[in-house]
Amino acid sequence: MIKNIIRKIITVLLIAFGFSFYLFSQSNGTILNYSEYIGKIESLIPEMKLTASAESNAYNNLIKAKSSGDVKFDLQAGAIGMQNHFNQYSILPESDFHYNGFRVGAGFSGLIPYSGTRWNVEIRHDGYFGDFKSGNISLLPNMPPLNFGTNNFKYYSPSIKIEIAQPILRDFFGKLDKYPIKDAEYQLTVAKLKRMIDDNAVLSSYRKLYYQWIMAKKLIDFYDEMIKESRNFENQAFNRYKNGLIDNDAYQNAVRQTIKYGEAKDEAEILLKRVLRNIQFFIPEENIIPNDNDWNQTLNDSINSEINSVSFLDSVQGQMAYQLKLRAEYGMTIIKNNSMPDLSIVGNVSLSGLDDSGYFNSFASMTNLNYFVGLMFSYPIGGRDAKAKMMDAYASLNAVSADYDRANRDFEVQIGIYFDEFQSYKKMIENKKREINAIASRINTQNEKFKQGRLPIDEIINTRLELSKARGELLNLEYSIIATVMDYNSLVLLK
């Protein structure tokens, strides 16, 4: 009865000591919650800025591709002249009648997007000054003098011209013209999906770092506690060795126990330093510690989560691979179309306003109509360029299809691996907890025997080492199941 009471008192004291140690360790620095931690990472991480830049470049490429539908404006203005004949033996013109004047013209041209229709509209106005038959000014020898006093702006020649070309075979209703735009749309979609995958992957690595940080601190705190207890036990063993109650080898085993705990702590400190090195860029402050409550909550959520099979096409990875395959297949159809002859319906119509006398009367008199409607055919003899591009397109499509199948296979295999690991870690955690409870119960019994002098010191030392090892293994298993669930969620990331 008294022993049970003493045991309960010792248990309460140990719990109180452990809680006090926890409060001290938590108050030894500023606590950084997981949400605050990941917020700092997201705002500064260089990799995410790079993926954002890649998506922005893909968006700009789409804008460039759509520029094929922009309207082009042309404007011309300048001097013109007409000479009815030249003397073959003189470099200077000789004429009985010629004109000088000006030309002003403007035009619009462009491509109707997704149709292949090319159009051009031109409005031109030619104006001529009077003839050179009489006048008072002669600029060059043998050149008739200019007469500025009569017949100025004698002739006007306005005209309107419209041209249209519509492909009906090789570029059937703009199939080739659509390709740059459609291809850029595929690239933008892939860039968005890749950004989601890459951002999630890099964030997942930093999420796991946070829990490695907690695990390392837990291990260090645990081994600090074990080192203190081990040194007390070592002092007791030394006193017994001096009094001749135990042999030297038993005492040295107690010394070895303290050293082993110190080695385990050193390994945990290496892990902690590695984590701090990785997050120092984002969190340069000192005296920052993670929140143990985040570990407990995430561990509980991970153990109670489910890992199920997900369709490859339902994941972001599957959608990206599928879009790459669609792009390659679409490019194949374009290459086939590009190898066809070029056959287009072409037509133009122009309207001018000179009457038979050569004088322009009014815009209403613009009745001179010229038009042309017909076919234009073009085909490269040999077509080696088209054949080479066709072979490249087939090779590209085969490569993309093979890569899609590989990604699909790896996706299914990886889900299976995560499922197996998840189930195994759950069982191993439960078994490890039972093992720890069994070792702790054995230590309690050994402590009673040791006090009574009925147990060799080596046996209790070895059992305590087993307990510390098992507790370290339990922490590693808990981290492993947290990391496995994170990796699974990253793999099956949905849109």
Side-chain angles (χ1 to χ4, degrees):
M1 183 68 178
I2 296 176
K3 289 182 179 180
N4 291 334
I5 294 174
I6 294 174
R7 185 178 299 169
K8 291 181 180 179
I9 293 173
I10 293 173
T11 302
V12 171
L13 290 174
L14 287 174
I15 293 173
F17 171 77
F19 183 71
S20 299
F21 183 79
Y22 169 78
L23 290 178
F24 172 76
S25 63
Q26 292 292 308
S27 61
N28 203 22
T30 303
I31 297 177
L32 183 68
N33 294 327
Y34 171 77
S35 58
E36 298 170 339
Y37 161 85
I38 207 66
K40 291 176 178 287
I41 298 293
E42 285 183 304
S43 63
L44 296 174
I45 191 165
E47 291 87 343
M48 295 182 70
K49 296 179 181 178
L50 292 174
T51 56
S53 177
E55 181 181 336
S56 177
N57 290 338
Y59 180 76
N60 289 335
N61 289 336
L62 177 58
I63 295 176
K64 293 176 185 177
K66 289 184 176 181
S67 67
S68 61
D70 293 347
V71 176
K72 182 181 178 182
F73 173 69
D74 297 314
L75 180 65
Q76 59 175 328
I80 59 173
M82 177 182 289
Q83 185 72 38
N84 67 335
H85 73 274
F86 285 88
N87 188 327
Q88 60 180 332
Y89 301 106
S90 174
I91 62 172
L92 295 176
E94 295 180 2
S95 174
D96 294 333
F97 189 79
H98 59 267
Y99 304 96
N100 283 337
F102 64 92
R103 173 176 294 170
V104 177
F108 296 88
S109 61
L111 168 71
I112 299 178
Y114 304 105
S115 69
T117 305
R118 286 168 172 78
W119 58 273
N120 178 51
V121 176
E122 180 184 13
I123 301 175
R124 197 174 75 183
H125 177 75
D126 292 350
Y128 297 94
F129 297 108
D131 60 62
F132 292 157
K133 287 184 176 180
S134 62
N136 299 318
I137 301 176
S138 179
L139 300 179
L140 292 173
N142 301 322
M143 181 177 178
L146 301 179
N147 184 353
F148 294 103
T150 61
N151 296 329
N152 285 335
F153 299 99
K154 183 176 181 182
Y155 298 104
Y156 299 87
S157 178
S159 63
I160 300 175
K161 185 177 182 181
I162 301 174
E163 293 181 329
I164 295 177
Q166 176 63 60
I168 58 175
L169 192 59
R170 180 173 177 265
D171 189 16
F172 181 73
F173 285 98
K175 189 170 185 179
L176 297 182
D177 297 327
K178 296 175 188 176
Y179 173 70
I181 299 175
K182 188 67 175 177
D183 188 67
E185 289 175 348
Y186 277 124
Q187 292 187 55
L188 179 58
T189 301
V190 170
K192 289 180 178 180
L193 294 171
K194 190 174 187 302
R195 180 182 180 183
M196 292 177 64
I197 294 171
D198 292 346
D199 287 355
N200 188 71
V202 71
L203 281 177
S204 180
S205 65
Y206 283 102
R207 291 186 190 109
K208 288 187 281 188
L209 275 176
Y210 182 80
Y211 294 98
Q212 289 180 20
W213 188 9
I214 297 178
M215 181 179 69
K217 290 193 66 66
K218 280 179 172 289
L219 287 170
I220 290 172
D221 293 342
F222 167 67
Y223 288 123
D224 278 337
E225 180 184 349
M226 297 303 294
I227 288 171
K228 290 179 182 178
E229 294 181 9
S230 178
R231 282 175 179 164
N232 290 333
F233 190 82
E234 182 184 329
N235 292 333
Q236 295 177 16
F238 179 73
N239 292 331
R240 292 196 177 201
Y241 168 65
K242 281 201 315 182
N243 295 327
L245 299 177
I246 60 174
D247 296 328
N248 180 60
D249 57 347
Y251 166 65
Q252 295 301 329
N253 204 11
V255 174
R256 171 180 170 271
Q257 176 189 217
T258 305
I259 294 173
K260 296 300 290 183
Y261 290 142
E263 290 176 351
K265 179 186 175 182
D266 291 340
E267 291 180 1
E269 286 181 340
I270 290 174
L271 174 60
L272 178 61
K273 289 177 182 178
R274 185 185 302 123
V275 171
L276 293 178
R277 286 288 183 187
N278 278 284
I279 66 175
Q280 187 176 22
F281 175 80
F282 311 98
I283 308 172
E285 301 93 342
E286 297 181 357
N287 277 343
I288 301 292
I289 58 176
N291 192 344
D292 284 354
N293 292 331
D294 288 320
W295 172 280
N296 299 329
Q297 182 63 48
T298 304
L299 175 62
N300 183 65
D301 293 341
S302 299
I303 291 175
N304 293 321
S305 63
E306 294 183 359
I307 292 184
N308 300 316
S309 180
V310 175
S311 171
F312 181 55
L313 285 178
D314 288 338
S315 68
V316 175
Q317 289 196 28
Q319 278 298 311
M320 187 180 76
Y322 181 64
Q323 290 296 323
L324 288 171
K325 187 177 180 181
L326 287 180
R327 181 192 176 202
E329 291 173 347
Y330 176 68
M332 187 74 238
T333 63
I334 295 301
I335 293 297
K336 289 180 179 179
N337 193 268
N338 196 41
S339 64
M340 300 174 67
D342 188 3
L343 180 64
S344 300
I345 299 175
V346 295
N348 63 70
V349 58
S350 62
L351 186 64
S352 60
L354 283 176
D355 58 17
D356 295 336
S357 65
Y359 290 86
F360 172 70
N361 295 319
S362 66
F363 285 98
S365 66
M366 294 177 64
T367 57
N368 296 331
L369 180 67
N370 296 317
Y371 65 87
F372 169 79
V373 177
L375 297 175
M376 184 175 67
F377 179 81
S378 175
Y379 183 72
I381 299 175
R384 285 175 292 184
D385 181 67
K387 292 177 182 177
K389 289 180 178 178
M390 182 75 73
M391 293 176 65
D392 289 341
Y394 271 120
S396 177
L397 179 59
N398 290 335
V400 171
S401 297
D403 191 64
Y404 176 85
D405 294 337
R406 178 199 58 79
N408 192 359
R409 178 205 64 193
D410 293 347
F411 181 84
E412 298 295 337
V413 170
Q414 197 60 55
I415 284 183
I417 291 174
Y418 289 148
F419 176 80
D420 295 338
E421 290 179 349
F422 176 74
Q423 297 297 329
S424 298
Y425 287 143
K426 285 180 67 174
K427 293 179 182 178
M428 293 169 70
I429 287 173
E430 292 302 318
N431 291 335
K432 190 61 65 175
K433 287 180 178 179
R434 287 197 292 267
E435 180 186 357
I436 289 173
N437 290 335
I439 295 174
S441 178
R442 197 170 81 195
I443 288 177
N444 289 334
T445 303
Q446 288 177 343
N447 286 334
E448 294 297 327
K449 291 182 179 180
F450 182 72
K451 292 175 183 178
Q452 299 170 6
R454 296 187 297 113
L455 183 71
I457 192 173
D458 291 346
E459 188 171 342
I460 191 171
I461 289 174
N462 292 334
T463 305
R464 285 163 58 86
L465 287 172
E466 289 179 17
L467 178 62
S468 67
K469 180 182 177 183
R471 289 185 64 179
E473 290 172 346
L474 176 61
L475 271 175
N476 276 287
L477 287 171
E478 290 174 343
Y479 169 75
S480 294
I481 199 169
I482 289 173
T484 297
V485 172
M486 284 185 177
D487 289 337
Y488 166 78
N489 291 333
S490 180
L491 178 69
V492 299
L493 180 67
L494 304 179
K495 292 182 68 176

